[in-house]
Amino acid sequence: MRVLAAVVLTAFAAAASRCAAAGANKPLLVENLPASAEAKDFIRAGCNETCIRRPDAARACYELLLPYAASINSSYNRASLAIVTVMVSKLADLAKDLRSFGEAGKLEGCIRMLDETVAGARDQALPALGRISAIADDKLKAKDPDFLLVWNWLRDVDINFVKCWDGGLKRIMDRVPSSIVADHSEYAAAAIISRPRLKWAPQSPDGENP
Ligand SMILES: *[C@@H]1O[C@H](CO)[C@@H](O)[C@H](O)[C@H]1NC(C)=O
Ligand SMILES: *[C@@H]1O[C@H](CO)[C@@H](O)[C@H](O)[C@H]1NC(C)=O
């Protein structure tokens, strides 16, 4: 929770410095605001329609994003910021658990990758997603530099996470439950960001075209 708060604050700080001149320094994501039925339905349908090959990840996606339903307010751009914010906190939780796990030595590569992913998110991906979240879904362009940055970053995260998963995480997932949450959030982040825009860069999170 503390990590999530820090990440949200980082995104908030980035947005605040950008918007200070306009006097619109509202936080981008607020947890547990009362949400309309429509805003909640968007989360349910959005998670279901993007995580189409992983019902387990779709369920996790829904549970992880529901507290932000009001902030997301039926926008994939804002849902993208929310799911990556959540993913980063879950990857940080996993890195912490792996450090205290007995076999940590064998997972050093994973821990390093997770640390780098969290740092990269704070420096680049989350600020870019903060800017994207201020744009209406139908106004975001395929060549938006922030979107391309996020897309490329997330593709690398996905490749590295799968490598880590197959290289050892899968073996210990029952003993380190945060690895399952991290896996779900990572899949859901890739799905929410890329599936609604498959035509922009025809590569789905499952590695095949629809
Ligand atoms: C989930 O999506 C599938 C197909 O994408 C659809 O058939 C199904 O009705 C959806 N379920 C819910 C609960 O929205
Ligand atoms: C949610 O989106 C609708 C339609 O875009 C807008 O009219 C409304 O003001 C938004 N609500 C909040 C709380 O931002």
Side-chain angles (χ1 to χ4, degrees):
M1 226 52 257
R2 210 171 312 150
V3 173
L4 180 57
V7 172
V8 172
L9 279 176
T10 307
F12 172 48
S17 63
R18 233 179 348 98
C19 297
N25 55 348
K26 283 198 303 184
L28 299 173
L29 284 180
V30 181
E31 241 178 309
N32 298 326
L33 290 179
S36 65
E38 192 189 345
K40 291 183 197 166
D41 280 350
F42 175 83
I43 307 291
R44 197 190 326 271
C47 286
N48 181 37
E49 284 160 19
T50 56
C51 300
I52 49 177
R53 291 190 182 86
R54 298 267 314 263
D56 55 340
R59 245 187 329 273
C61 171
Y62 177 69
E63 282 160 19
L64 295 170
L65 286 187
L66 195 58
Y68 301 102
S71 281
I72 290 170
N73 195 15
S74 304
S75 152
Y76 273 112
N77 290 355
R78 285 188 294 272
S80 300
L81 171 66
I83 193 68
V84 172
T85 302
V86 170
M87 175 193 85
V88 167
S89 87
K90 299 304 178 192
L91 296 185
D93 288 349
L94 174 58
K96 185 165 152 276
D97 287 353
L98 291 182
R99 276 198 175 85
S100 54
F101 190 69
E103 290 178 65
K106 291 184 194 154
L107 293 161
E108 266 167 11
C110 270
I111 295 173
R112 201 166 43 244
M113 179 281 285
L114 292 167
D115 287 345
E116 283 168 10
T117 300
V118 170
R122 287 179 182 157
D123 289 347
Q124 295 203 298
L126 285 170
L129 282 160
R131 290 187 289 274
I132 289 171
S133 74
I135 302 172
D137 284 8
D138 60 357
K139 295 283 188 292
L140 184 65
K141 301 278 198 302
K143 297 282 187 291
D144 184 290
D146 283 324
F147 184 80
L148 292 175
L149 182 152
V150 170
W151 187 293
N152 288 324
W153 174 78
L154 200 59
R155 189 199 46 207
D156 289 346
V157 171
D158 193 51
I159 290 169
N160 290 329
F161 191 83
V162 169
K163 221 182 276 174
C164 180
W165 184 262
D166 292 340
L169 270 188
K170 191 166 60 180
R171 183 166 46 82
I172 60 163
M173 66 180 182
D174 292 334
R175 283 171 289 162
V176 185
S178 57
S179 64
I180 297 171
V181 184
D183 175 51
H184 285 158
S185 68
E186 193 278 326
Y187 181 88
I192 292 259
I193 289 173
S194 60
R195 196 171 289 281
R197 279 113 187 188
L198 281 179
K199 289 196 190 109
W200 290 6
Q203 194 178 53
S204 81
D206 304 297
E208 40 184 288
N209 297 333

